[in-house]
Amino acid sequence: MAINVYPFKKYNYRLEIDGIDQAAFSEVSGFDASVDVIEYREGTETINSPRKMPGLTKYGNVTLKWGMSESLSFYEWVAGISSGEMGTAEDRVKDITIYLQDDAHNDIANWTFFNAWPCKYTAPDFNASSSEIAFESVELAFEEMKRNQ
């Protein structure tokens, strides 16, 4: 099997939320993971530097940006959480998968974010002298990330 020597391009992707395809995202950014470093040293150790051990894994938030449309689905998700209408975790959290695609739109890699929920919604900026698209965005917190493929 030949190995692709070219890096993947980042402009073809799709996003699923709990298995439902979501369209029209122009930008997805910010997902990362870091592991805390725990330093430990006993007073009787002969080396004068601490051991380093892995601690908690922490994840950044994912930001989704899209051209504003009639859909209120993300706004309603945020509003339901802040009003308390989505009181149970089953109502609030969703699993999200981002699929990177090749030029023929075949899935070539994906990342799944478990127990995601919106922690920030941003409405578009308005400017009467601008001829730009109105963008909305939502920032999603999540508990675990897994890369597949």
Side-chain angles (χ1 to χ4, degrees):
M1 177 180 190
I3 295 177
N4 183 3
V5 295
Y6 296 104
F8 296 137
K9 301 167 190 170
K10 67 179 187 175
Y11 53 77
N12 287 332
Y13 57 90
R14 67 185 178 90
L15 187 130
E16 286 183 358
I17 298 178
D18 273 348
I20 302 169
D21 276 327
Q22 300 293 312
F25 291 103
S26 62
E27 191 174 320
V28 179
S29 62
F31 47 101
D32 59 29
S34 63
V35 179
D36 285 344
V37 176
I38 300 171
E39 294 189 357
Y40 177 76
R41 183 181 177 280
E42 295 176 357
T44 58
E45 293 189 26
T46 57
I47 298 175
N48 289 332
S49 62
R51 286 184 250 164
K52 295 188 179 189
M53 301 176 291
L56 294 175
T57 301
K58 297 180 182 177
Y59 300 100
N61 295 337
V62 173
T63 301
L64 309 175
K65 185 176 178 181
W66 65 95
M68 186 177 171
S69 67
E70 294 178 359
S71 174
L72 295 174
S73 59
F74 281 103
Y75 177 78
E76 290 170 347
W77 192 11
V78 173
I81 289 172
S82 64
S83 69
E85 292 175 22
M86 294 184 171
T88 66
E90 292 80 23
D91 293 335
R92 283 192 309 268
V93 302
K94 305 199 180 296
D95 292 341
I96 296 171
T97 303
I98 299 169
Y99 296 88
L100 181 63
Q101 298 180 320
D102 62 15
D103 289 335
H105 293 278
N106 299 305
D107 296 341
I108 54 178
N110 67 69
W111 294 260
T112 301
F113 308 95
F114 298 96
N115 298 325
W117 55 275
C119 59
K120 182 179 180 181
Y121 166 82
T122 304
D125 294 330
F126 300 106
N127 183 339
S129 63
S130 171
S131 53
E132 298 175 356
I133 300 293
F135 282 98
E136 291 179 285
S137 68
V138 67
E139 190 172 318
L140 303 172
F142 59 94
E143 295 177 2
E144 183 182 355
M145 176 175 69
K146 182 179 179 184
R147 176 167 177 208
N148 305 300
Q149 290 177 305

